[in-house]
C-alpha cells in the first residue's frame, strides 16, 4: 500500500515538471505585458523597459524559466507585481477563504447529490425521477456566472435574505486566528461573526456546487440503477436479507465506487471553478486574485498559484485513489 | 430502520433551524441594542465599493486612483483644491508666495496640526518629506513606485536631473522650497496625494524607504502595508488585501470632522457585482457607473452624482501610416465625424464636445482654435483631393480596446461602432482591430503598427502640460510625427514660471496643435458616481479630491 502511494508520489515529479514548462510558456504567450498593465496609459517606453528589466522579463525565455524553476525548488515563488508581496504570502492569505468555500460547495454537492441520485434511482421511471434528471441536466449546462448573478439578484437584491458579496460584513470587528472565518468565530465564541460568515458562504457555495452536484446526482443515479439490478442483489433478496442491508451494504456501497472517483475529480475542479464564483461574489480567495492576476498580467502570481493548485489537484487525486482501494478491496489486490 | 433515520434527520434539521433562529435573534438584538439609545442617530459607517485594491498605502509610492482615493482620507498636502474644481487652494499651507525669479516658494503653515501618531506637523516635517522623495535611490526611483516625483521633478538627487533645489525650515510655521528651474505646475502638482505630508516619525520607524529587497522582486515597505500616518480626517485602521481597507475618524483632526466615523473601502472588481452590492444595501456607493446602468439605477431611486469632466477622449491618427501623414486625409476624417451624434448616442448625459486636447477649465484652453465642423461633403472633397474615390477608397486600420472602461471612455466598443458608421458613410474603408487593454496599449504606444485609434486621459491636477505635454511633448509611437515647432512650444511651456505666462503660451500651442491636427479631440465624458439614498451629499471633484469628512448621511 505504502509502496503504491510512494510510486504515485514519484510520478508527480515529471507531471509537475511538464506542467511547469507548459504553464511558463502559456503565461508568456498572454498578449500585453505586466509593465503596461502596471503603468497605465501614459507609460513611456523607457518605463516599460525598466519594469521588464526589474522583473527579468527582458531576458531570454529559457533563462527566465531556469531562474524561476531554480527559485521554485527552493520554495521561492517570487513577488506579486501588483501587490509587491511574496506570492506564497498572497496564496496562504487567501487559501483559507477558497478552502472554506470549496469545502462548503463539496458538502452541498455530496450531501445533496448522493441522496438525490439514490432517491431518483429508487423512483426510476416516475415523474420525480424525470424531474431530477432534467434538473441535473440544467445544472450542468447553466453557466456558473449567470447562475451566480441570478442567485444574487433573487436572494440578495430582491429578497434581501442573504449578503451579496465578501466573506463577512466589514462592519463586524471579528478576530481571526486561522482565517477560516466560521471556525474563527466558533473558537473565539464570536457567534454573530461565525453566523455572518456562514450567511456569506451560502450563495457562493450554492453557485459553486451546482455543476458538481448535478454530475454527482447523475452518476449516483446511473450507478444505483446498474447495481440494483445485479445478480447478487436479486440473490440477496431471494435469500431474505433485510431491506436495510440490501440498500446499504449491497446497493449503496457498491454503487458508490464510481461516485467516489467523480467526487475526487470534481473536488479538483472546484478550485478552478472558484475563479468565476469568487469574482462574482467579490469573495477574497485565490480564485478572484487569480482572475485579477490574469487581467494585470501578474506573471509570478499566475505561475505560482497555478502550480499550487496543480499540486493540490494531484494530491486530491492521490487521496481518491487510496480511498478507492479502501472501498473496493479488489483494487488493492491488483 | 429507514424510519428512525428519517426521524433523526428531521430532528437534526429542526435543531439547526432552532439554532439559527436563536442566533438570528441574538444578532438582531445586538443591532437594536446599538440603535435604541438614540434612534435618530445615523449609521456613521460609510462603505464605498472600490473597483480595485490599494496598491500602496504610502502615497509617495503610488500613482493609481484606488490608492489615491484612500490616501486622500489619511493624508493632506500643503496644497489642496478649491472644492469642485481642479484649481489649487490652501490646505496644510495657509498661504504661499513665489519669489521674483519664480524659483523659491515660501509657505506659511497651519498651526496646531498633528499627525495621527502625535508628531507635530511643522516646517521640519515638510522638508523631511520633500528631501525624502528627492533622495530616493535604486528601485524606489522606478516609475511603478515614485512615478510623480520622477515625472514632475524630472529626476532624483543622485541622477543629477532633479529640478528640486532644496528645502529650508525658516521657523516652525514657515518653510521655503526651491527649484533649480522654473516650473509653473509646481503648486497645482502639490495637490496630488503623491506629495502629501507624512509623519517623519512613522516613516522612519516603519522603514518607509526600504522598498525592494532585490531588483528582480521589489517589495513594499512595512510602512506602506500597515502604518500610513498623515494629518487627514481619517486614520488607518486595517488593510485586508484584496478585500477591505478600514479607516476611522481622527479625533484630534484640525479641521471639520463631519458625520462619517468609519470608512470601509470594499473591493468589488466586477461592475455588475458592484451594482448588485449597492442594490442589496451592502455598500453606500461606487464610482465609474457603467453608462448602461445609469437609467435603471436612477429609476430605482439611487442618487447619481456627476463629476465635472476633467478628461478628454480622442481619435488618434498615426502619421507613420503614409495616408495619415497627408493633412487633407486627417482633415477629411475630422469633417466626417459628428461629435454631437456620438455623444448623444453612446456617451453619458452631460458629456461635452471637445474642441481641443484639454477641457476648458485647464490653463491655456483656447476658444479660437481651428475647428472642423461635421461636413461629410467637405470630407469627401478632401479625400478626392488626396486621391481617394469610390474606385480607390481610403483604407485604414481602426484600433480600439475591448473589455475595458475608462472615465474618458466608458464603452470603447460602442464608441468604435458609432465612429465606424460615420467614417464609412463618407466612403472610408475600415479594417477594425480590437485588443485587450494591456495588449492594446502595447500596440499603440510600443510600435507603429496601428492606424487610427481611441484613447484619452484624465488629468491629475490643473496643468496644461499634464494634458498636451504628455500627448505631444516629444516624438512618440502613438502619433508617429515629428513636428519641431509643436515639440518646442510644449517644452518651453513646461519650463515657464507662472500660470499667467502659461496661459498665452498654451493657448498658442493649442492653436498650433489643432491646425496641425494630429488627432481629433472628441468629447469630455462625464464620470458618474452612484449612492444609496441615505447619502445626502458627496463632495464630487473633477480631480477626485473627495474627502469623506464632507460626506453627509441621513440615516
Amino acid at each position: 500500500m505504502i509502496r503504491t502511494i510512494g510510486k504515485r508520489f514519484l510520478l508527480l515529479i515529471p507531471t509537475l515538471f511538464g506542467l511547469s514548462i507548459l504553464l511558463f510558456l502559456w503565461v508568456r504567450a498572454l498578449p500585453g505585458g505586466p509593465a503596461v498593465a502596471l503603468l497605465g496609459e501614459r507609460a513611456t517606453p523607457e518605463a516599460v523597459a525598466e519594469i521588464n528589466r526589474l522583473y527579468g522579463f527582458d531576458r531570454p525565455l529559457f533563462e527566465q524559466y531556469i531562474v524561476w524553476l531554480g527559485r521554485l525548488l527552493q520554495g521561492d515563488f517570487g513577488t506579486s507585481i501588483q501587490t509587491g508581496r511574496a506570492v506564497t504570502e498572497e496564496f496562504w492569505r487567501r487559501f483559507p477563504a477558497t478552502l472554506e468555500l470549496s469545502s462548503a460547495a463539496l458538502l452541498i454537492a455530496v450531501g445533496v447529490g448522493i441522496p438525490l441520485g439514490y432517491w431518483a434511482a429508487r423512483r426510476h421511471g416516475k415523474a420525480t425521477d424525470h424531474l431530477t434528471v432534467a434538473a441535473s441536466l440544467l445544472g450542468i449546462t447553466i453557466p456558473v456566472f449567470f447562475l451566480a448573478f441570478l442567485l444574487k439578484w433573487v436572494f440578495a437584491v430582491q429578497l434581501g435574505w442573504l449578503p451579496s458579496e465578501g466573506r463577512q460584513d466589514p462592519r463586524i470587528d471579528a478576530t481571526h486566528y486561522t482565517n477560516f472565518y466560521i471556525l474563527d468565530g466558533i473558537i473565539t465564541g464570536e457567534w454573530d461573526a461565525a453566523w455572518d460568515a456562514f450567511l456569506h458562504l451560502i450563495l457562493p457555495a450554492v453557485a459553486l456546487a451546482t455543476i458538481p452536484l448535478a454530475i454527482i446526482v447523475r452518476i449516483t443515479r446511473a450507478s444505483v440503477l446498474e447495481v440494483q439490478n445485479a445478480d447478487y442483489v436479486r440473490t440477496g433478496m431471494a435469500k431474505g436479507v433485510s431491506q436495510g442491508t440490501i440498500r446499504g451494504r449491497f446497493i449503496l456501497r457498491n454503487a458508490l465506487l464510481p461516485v467516489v472517483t467523480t467526487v475526487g475529480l470534481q473536488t479538483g475542479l472546484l478550485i478552478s471553478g472558484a475563479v468565476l464564483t469568487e469574482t462574482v461574489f467579490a469573495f477574497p480567495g485565490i480564485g478572484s486574485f487569480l482572475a485579477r492576476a490574469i487581467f494585470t498580467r501578474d506573471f509570478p502570481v499566475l505561475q505560482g498559484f497555478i502550480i499550487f493548485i496543480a499540486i493540490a489537484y494531484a494530491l486530491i487525486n492521490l487521496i481518491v485513489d487510496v480511498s478507492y482501494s479502501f472501498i473496493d478491496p479488489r483494487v488493492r489486490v491488483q | 430502520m429507514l424510519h428512525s433515520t428519517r426521524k433523526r434527520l428531521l430532528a437534526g434539521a429542526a435543531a439547526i433551524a432552532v439554532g439559527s433562529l436563536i442566533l438570528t435573534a441574538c444578532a438582531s438584538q445586538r443591532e437594536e441594542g446599538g440603535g435604541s439609545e438614540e434612534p435618530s442617530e445615523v449609521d456613521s459607517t460609510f462603505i464605498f465599493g472600490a473597483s480595485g485594491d490599494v496598491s500602496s498605502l504610502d502615497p509617495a509610492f503610488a500613482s493609481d486612483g484606488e490608492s489615491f482615493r484612500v490616501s486622500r482620507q489619511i493624508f493632506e498636502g500643503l496644497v489642496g483644491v478649491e472644492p469642485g474644481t481642479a484649481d489649487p487652494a490652501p490646505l496644510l499651507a495657509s498661504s504661499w508666495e513665489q519669489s521674483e525669479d519664480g524659483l523659491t516658494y515660501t509657505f506659511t503653515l497651519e498651526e496646531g496640526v498633528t499627525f495621527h501618531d502625535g508628531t507635530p506637523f511643522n516646517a521640519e516635517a515638510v522638508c523631511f518629506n520633500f528631501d525624502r522623495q528627492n533622495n530616493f535611490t535604486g528601485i524606489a526611483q522606478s516609475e511603478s513606485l515614485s512615478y510623480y516625483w520622477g515625472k514632475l521633478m524630472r529626476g532624483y538627487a543622485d541622477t543629477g536631473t532633479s529640478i528640486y533645489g532644496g528645502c529650508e525650515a525658516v521657523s516652525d510655521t514657515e518653510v521655503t522650497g526651491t527649484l533649480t528651474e522654473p516650473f509653473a505646475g509646481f503648486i497645482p502638482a502639490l495637490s496630488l496625494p503623491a506629495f502629501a505630508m507624512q509623519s517623519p516619525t512613522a516613516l522612519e520607524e516603519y522603514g518607509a524607504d526600504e522598498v525592494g529587497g532585490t531588483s528582480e522582486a521589489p517589495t513594499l515597505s512595512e510602512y506602506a502595508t500597515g502604518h500610513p500616518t498623515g494629518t487627514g480626517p481619517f486614520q488607518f485602521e486595517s488593510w485586508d488585501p484584496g478585500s477591505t481597507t478600514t479607516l476611522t475618524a481622527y479625533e484630534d483632526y484640525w479641521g471639520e470632522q463631519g458625520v462619517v466615523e468609519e470608512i470601509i473601502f470594499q473591493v468589488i472588481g466586477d461592475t455588475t457585482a458592484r451594482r448588485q452590492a449597492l442594490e442589496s444595501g451592502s455598500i453606500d456607493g461606487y464610482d465609474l457607473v457603467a453608462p448602461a446602468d445609469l437609467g435603471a439605477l436612477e429609476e430605482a431611486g439611487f442618487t447619481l452624482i456627476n463629476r465635472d469632466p476633467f478628461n478628454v477622449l480622442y481619435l488618434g491618427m498615426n502619421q507613420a501610416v503614409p495616408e495619415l501623414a497627408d493633412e487633407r486625409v486627417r482633415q477629411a476624417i475630422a469633417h466626417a465625424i459628428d461629435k454631437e451624434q456620438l455623444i448623444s448616442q453612446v456617451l453619458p448625459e452631460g458629456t461635452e464636445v471637445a474642441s481641443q486636447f484639454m477641457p476648458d477649465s485647464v490653463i491655456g484652453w483656447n476658444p479660437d482654435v481651428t475647428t472642423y465642423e461635421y461636413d461629410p461633403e467637405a470630407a469627401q472633397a478632401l479625400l478626392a483631393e488626396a486621391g481617394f474615390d469610390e474606385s480607390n477608397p481610403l483604407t485604414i486600420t481602426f484600433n480600439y480596446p475591448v473589455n475595458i472602461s475608462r472615465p474618458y471612455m466608458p464603452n470603447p466598443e460602442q464608441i468604435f461602432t458609432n465612429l465606424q458608421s460615420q467614417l464609412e458613410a463618407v466612403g472610408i474603408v475600415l479594417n477594425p482591430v480590437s485588443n485587450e487593454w494591456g495588449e492594446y496599449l502595447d500596440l499603440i504606444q510600443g510600435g507603429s503598427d496601428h492606424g487610427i485609434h481611441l484613447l484619452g486621459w484624465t488629468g491629475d491636477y490643473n496643468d496644461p502640460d499634464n494634458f498636451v505635454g504628455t500627448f505631444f511633448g516629444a516624438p512618440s509611437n502613438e502619433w508617429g510625427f515629428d513636428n519641431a515647432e509643436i515639440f518646442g512650444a510644449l517644452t518651453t511651456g513646461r519650463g515657464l514660471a507662472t500660470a499667467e505666462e502659461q496661459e498665452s503660451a498654451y493657448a498658442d500651442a493649442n492653436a498650433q496643435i489643432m491646425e496641425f491636427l494630429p488627432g481629433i479631440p472628441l468629447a469630455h465624458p462625464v464620470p458618474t458616481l452612484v449612492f444609496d439614498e441615505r447619502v445626502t451629499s458627496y463632495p464630487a471633484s473633477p480631480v477626485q479630491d473627495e474627502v469623506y469628512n464632507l460626506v453627509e448621511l441621513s440615516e
Side-chain angles (χ1 to χ4, degrees), chain A residues 36 41-42 54 59 164-165, chain B residues 215 277 282 314 406 408 445:
Chain A
V36 176
E41 47 258 72
R42 293 287 154 210
L54 213 60
R59 297 188 209 158
S164 57
E165 61 281 298
Chain B
S215 67
S282 60
Y314 61 73
R406 311 296 291 165
Y408 54 80
Q445 293 167 341

Side-chain angles (χ1 to χ4, degrees), chain B residues 218-296:
Chain B
T219 50
L220 290 172
S221 72
E222 194 189 345
Y223 177 86
T225 53
H227 302 277
T229 313
T231 63
F234 298 94
Q235 58 186 355
F236 177 74
E237 173 83 23
S238 65
W239 179 25
D240 183 3
S243 178
T244 52
T245 308
T246 308
L247 313 178
T248 52
Y250 173 48
E251 274 180 21
D252 293 328
Y253 180 55
W254 63 283
E256 241 176 81
Q257 185 60 78
V259 294
V260 175
E261 281 169 21
E262 185 183 39
I263 308 173
I264 296 166
F265 294 95
Q266 179 154 29
V267 180
I268 307 174
D270 185 87
T271 321
T272 313
R274 270 201 301 284
R275 178 179 156 180
Q276 288 190 328
L278 179 76
E279 288 172 326
S280 68
S282 60
I283 59 171
D284 286 314
Y286 67 92
D287 199 354
L288 298 184
V289 185
D293 289 342
L294 289 169

Side-chain angles (χ1 to χ4, degrees), chain B residues 336-484:
Chain B
I337 291 174
D338 184 350
K339 297 178 193 176
E340 304 272 2
Q341 192 215 76
L342 174 78
I343 290 169
S344 67
Q345 289 184 1
V346 300
L347 290 169
E349 213 176 285
T351 296
E352 286 158 25
V353 168
S355 67
Q356 51 210 288
F357 288 86
M358 56 165 73
D360 61 3
S361 51
V362 178
I363 299 161
W365 185 83
N366 185 343
D368 303 317
V369 293
T370 314
T371 52
Y372 303 83
E373 300 310 319
Y374 171 58
D375 187 346
E377 278 161 24
Q380 276 163 331
L382 280 160
L383 284 174
E385 224 179 280
F388 300 103
D389 52 33
E390 265 178 52
S391 59
N392 173 35
L394 168 66
T395 309
I396 41 173
T397 300
F398 193 150
N399 300 84
Y400 65 101
V402 287
N403 300 325
I404 183 87
S405 178
R406 311 296 291 165
Y408 54 80
M409 182 170 60
N411 45 353
E413 293 91 340
Q414 289 176 7
I415 297 170
F416 160 75
T417 312
N418 190 285
L419 293 179
Q420 181 190 34
S421 64
Q422 297 193 20
L423 292 172
E424 284 175 350
V426 297
I428 298 173
V429 176
L430 295 174
N431 162 34
V433 175
S434 64
N435 301 90
E436 294 287 336
W437 186 237
E439 188 187 7
Y440 181 74
L441 291 179
D442 248 1
L443 182 76
I444 301 300
Q445 293 167 341
S448 57
D449 186 19
H450 52 97
I452 55 176
H453 63 272
L454 291 176
L455 210 58
W457 179 242
T458 299
D460 300 307
Y461 55 97
N462 194 344
D463 181 51
D465 184 51
N466 192 242
F467 280 93
V468 281
T470 41
F471 303 149
F472 312 117
S476 70
N477 287 321
E478 179 177 357
W479 306 96
F481 69 78
D482 193 353
N483 184 324

Side-chain angles (χ1 to χ4, degrees), chain A residues 210-229:
Chain A
T210 309
I211 291 179
L213 169 67
I215 291 174
I216 290 171
V217 167
R218 292 173 72 86
I219 299 284
T220 311
R221 179 181 167 276
S223 181
V224 170
L225 279 182
E226 197 187 310
V227 173
Q228 72 184 3
N229 292 326

